[in-house]
Amino acid sequence: MSVDDRHSASHTLVIGGGVIGVCCAWYLSKRGARVTVLERDQVGKGASFGNAGTIAPGHGAINKPGRVGQALKSLFDPLSPLYVAPRLDPELVRWLWAFIRTCTEEHAAYTMGVLGRLGHATSHLFDELVASEKLDCCYHHEGYHEVYQTGHGLESAKREAEFTRRYGFHPETLSGEALREREPAISSRILGGVFFPEAARINPYRFVCEMAERARRNGAVFRTGVEVADILTAGGKVRGGRARDGETIDADAVVLAAGAYSVPLARKLGLKLPLQAAKGYHRDHKLGQGTPELRRACMLGENLVFCTPMDGFLRLAGTLEFSGVNHEIRRPRLEQLTNAAKRYFNGLESNDSWSEWCGLRPCIADGLPAVGPVARYKGLFIATGHAMAGLTLGPITGKLIAEYILDGRPGMDIAALSPDRF
Ligand SMILES: Cc1cc2nc3c(=O)[nH]c(=O)nc-3n(C[C@H](O)[C@H](O)[C@H](O)COP(=O)(O)OP(=O)(O)OC[C@H]3O[C@@H](n4cnc5c(N)ncnc54)[C@H](O)[C@@H]3O)c2cc1C
C-alpha cells in the first residue's frame, strides 16, 4: 500500500480479544483512533490466557530441518512433544506439505531474519509499555535458561545459539555446574544449557487484561460475547462485521485477529490462510508444595516444556499437538509436562496442580505470521498466525497494524508477513 493509498479509517473493528487483538486496540486507541473489539467469549481467554509467559525474542520459527523426521515419527507416538494426530484432512495434508518444504536451513535463516528484527523491536516495546502504562503483570526482563540432559540435545542447542548470535542476540552456553549455581533446583542429570539474556517473562493473562484496561481508558470499546459470523464487504472495501445474532457493526477497517479460529472468516471472503491449530497444555503447580522454586524461566530442551515462575506458582507449559480445532485435554500429554519436569529438577514430588488448561496456537505453514493489509479488500487487515510467539510479538504486531491503518504503511519493512503471500 502506498502513502497515497493510505487508509484513514474512522472506525476500526478488531475481531478477537486475545493478545494480538488487544495490542492492536491499544496502539490504535493510543493514537486517538475509534476502535471496537468484538470478542465472542471473554477478553484474553483464548491461547493468550495460559501460555508459558515467556517473551522470547531470539526464537526462530518451528520450521527447522530436523522437524520433518520428528513430525513423521510423531504420527506413531502420541506422547512426543510434537504430535500430528493422523487424520484424513486435505487442509492438514496441504499444510504439512507446505510446512515440510520450508523445513530447510535457507528458510530457517530467512524467517529468523524477519522474526529477529521483530523480536528486537517488541522487546523494547514491552519495556516501554510496562513502564509507561504501569502494567501490573509480573514482568521480569532477566532472560531464561534452556537446559539439556543429553549430549546430542546440548550440541544442537549450541549450534542454535551460534545461529541466533548472527541476528544480534547474545546467548551464553553454560555447563551443568554453572546452571546449578544459578538454579539450585536443576538436577545433576543436566549436562548444560544456554542462557538467553534478551528474554523476559510475564503473566500473560494479566498482561492482556492490563492492556485492555488501558485501551478502554483511551476510548476503545470492548464488546464480549459477540461472535463475528461474517466480515462485510462491498465494492472491494470492507464495511464492517455481522455478528452471529444478525447485528451489523459498521466500520471502514477490520482487523482479523481471531487466532487459531481465523480461518472460517477468511475463507468466507475467498482468502487463503494456511493455518493449523497447534494445541499446547499448561499445568500450574503452587509454590511451597514440593515445587522447585526457579529464579528464572527455564525450557526443558529435549521435551520443549517451559517452566515459568509466576506469582505464587510455577507454570509448566508446552507440547505441539496438531489435532484440529478442539479443546479436548489428552491426559497422557498433560501428564508429560510434570513427568518431564521431574526428570530435570530436584524436588518436584507431587502431580497436584491447581490449573490445567489447553489452548490453540495459530500456526502458518511457512512459520511466519500474517500481518498486514489484504489487497483484495481495502480496509481489511489480518493479524494472526503467531504460533509459539504470539505473546512475544503482540506489541510489535499491534504497533504495525496501527501504523498500516493510520499512516498507510508500517514503521518497518514487513513485506515478508503479507497475508497476500499465499
Ligand atoms: C501452551 C502454550 C504455550 C505458549 N507459550 C508462549 C510463550 O511462552 N511465548 C509466546 O510468545 N507465545 C506463547 N504461546 C503462543 C501464544 O499463546 C499465541 O501465539 C497467542 O496467544 C495468540 O494470540 P491471538 O490473540 O492470536 O489468539 P487468542 O489468544 O487465541 O485470541 C483469539 C481470540 O479470538 C476470539 N475469537 C475467535 N473467533 C472469533 C469470532 N468469530 N468472533 C469474535 N471473537 C472470536 C477467541 O475467543 C479468542 O479470544 C503459547 C501457546 C500455548 C498454547
Side-chain angles (χ1 to χ4, degrees):
M1 191 189 283
S2 71
V3 182
D4 300 337
D5 193 22
R6 82 177 39 179
H7 187 95
S8 50
S10 56
H11 183 208
T12 300
L13 277 190
V14 176
I15 304 173
V19 66
I20 301 298
V22 167
C23 286
C24 291
W26 188 84
Y27 278 98
L28 282 161
S29 61
K30 180 74 183 163
R31 293 185 55 188
R34 186 176 157 221
V35 50
T36 302
V37 178
L38 301 177
E39 165 54 54
R40 67 179 178 187
D41 185 5
Q42 292 172 44
V43 168
K45 289 289 179 87
S48 304
F49 175 73
N51 63 50
T54 51
I55 296 155
H59 253 251
I62 56 169
N63 310 48
K64 289 180 186 157
R67 290 280 191 244
V68 178
Q70 259 180 312
L72 289 175
K73 258 202 328 222
S74 84
L75 288 168
F76 308 99
D77 178 8
L79 290 185
S80 81
L82 187 159
Y83 174 57
V84 184
R87 61 192 195 281
L88 279 176
D89 171 352
E91 276 190 28
L92 174 67
V93 173
R94 271 196 293 276
W95 187 94
L96 281 172
W97 178 237
F99 173 75
I100 285 169
R101 276 186 314 164
T102 51
C103 285
T104 62
E105 301 283 359
E106 297 71 35
H107 191 74
Y110 168 69
T111 51
M112 189 60 194
V114 180
L115 295 173
R117 279 191 300 122
L118 293 171
H120 287 296
T122 210
S123 208
H124 293 303
L125 294 179
F126 268 105
D127 288 343
E128 218 172 86
L129 280 170
V130 172
S132 67
E133 295 298 309
K134 300 188 174 40
L135 305 180
D136 175 15
C137 53
C138 193
Y139 177 68
H140 299 271
H141 197 162
E142 61 194 6
Y144 81 90
H145 294 113
E146 274 185 23
V147 302
Y148 292 84
Q149 48 181 224
T150 63
H152 172 72
L154 187 56
E155 281 317 305
S156 93
K158 285 180 182 168
R159 281 196 300 276
E160 189 79 24
E162 210 42 64
F163 170 70
T164 310
R165 256 183 220 115
R166 288 186 234 148
Y167 300 89
F169 298 96
H170 303 89
E172 195 186 322
T173 51
L174 295 169
S175 66
E177 288 69 39
L179 278 170
R180 277 180 285 281
E181 262 170 42
R182 291 167 169 226
E183 294 284 7
I186 289 178
S187 141
S188 56
R189 278 195 294 269
I190 301 309
L191 300 179
V194 181
F195 176 60
F196 290 89
E198 284 86 5
R201 68 182 160 99
I202 202 164
N203 180 318
Y205 179 56
R206 290 234 316 253
F207 173 69
V208 176
C209 292
E210 288 278 284
M211 285 292 281
E213 166 56 28
R214 301 308 186 274
R216 272 189 203 98
R217 285 188 205 167
N218 294 338
V221 173
F222 284 77
R223 293 187 56 193
T224 54
V226 179
E227 178 171 358
V228 177
D230 294 287
I231 295 170
L232 302 174
T233 64
K237 291 184 187 168
V238 292
R239 58 179 190 82
R242 182 170 26 241
R244 178 74 56 211
D245 67 4
E247 182 196 2
T248 61
I249 302 119
D250 294 336
D252 38 21
V254 172
V255 182
L256 177 56
Y261 318 93
S262 302
V263 175
L265 286 171
R267 193 187 290 134
K268 280 186 178 177
L269 293 177
L271 304 174
K272 272 197 212 152
L273 192 57
L275 183 151
Q276 286 286 319
K279 193 189 290 170
Y281 297 87
H282 91 205
R283 244 188 171 177
D284 292 342
H285 291 265
K286 274 215 166 88
L287 293 181
Q289 297 178 358
T291 302
E293 301 228 3
L294 297 181
R295 294 168 183 165
R296 293 187 169 97
C298 183
M299 205 266 265
L300 314 182
E302 287 84 0
N303 291 268
L304 306 175
V305 173
F306 273 92
C307 307
T308 311
M310 295 194 187
D311 359 36
F313 62 94
L314 180 70
R315 170 162 297 165
L316 310 181
T319 94
L320 265 173
E321 174 185 314
F322 291 90
S323 61
V325 176
N326 68 76
H327 291 266
E328 182 198 338
I329 290 195
R330 296 179 187 228
R331 300 243 26 119
R333 290 189 65 75
L334 185 73
E335 303 286 343
Q336 283 290 92
L337 301 175
T338 315
N339 293 340
K342 284 180 177 170
R343 292 195 292 274
Y344 287 74
F345 299 122
N346 305 316
L348 180 57
E349 288 140 22
S350 132
N351 277 352
D352 291 347
S353 53
W354 64 282
S355 171
E356 295 180 341
W357 169 90
C358 73
L360 303 180
R361 304 174 184 89
C363 295
I364 290 181
D366 66 5
L368 289 174
V371 178
V374 172
R376 200 189 297 182
Y377 300 102
K378 188 166 160 53
L380 178 61
F381 300 82
I382 291 185
T384 190
H386 296 76
M388 316 267 279
L391 169 66
T392 304
L393 300 178
I396 187 64
T397 301
K399 184 167 188 283
L400 290 165
I401 286 288
E403 287 165 352
Y404 265 125
I405 293 176
L406 302 176
D407 308 331
R409 64 176 172 207
M412 62 195 274
D413 176 11
I414 54 160
L417 308 185
S418 169
D420 292 328
R421 71 185 187 273
F422 309 116

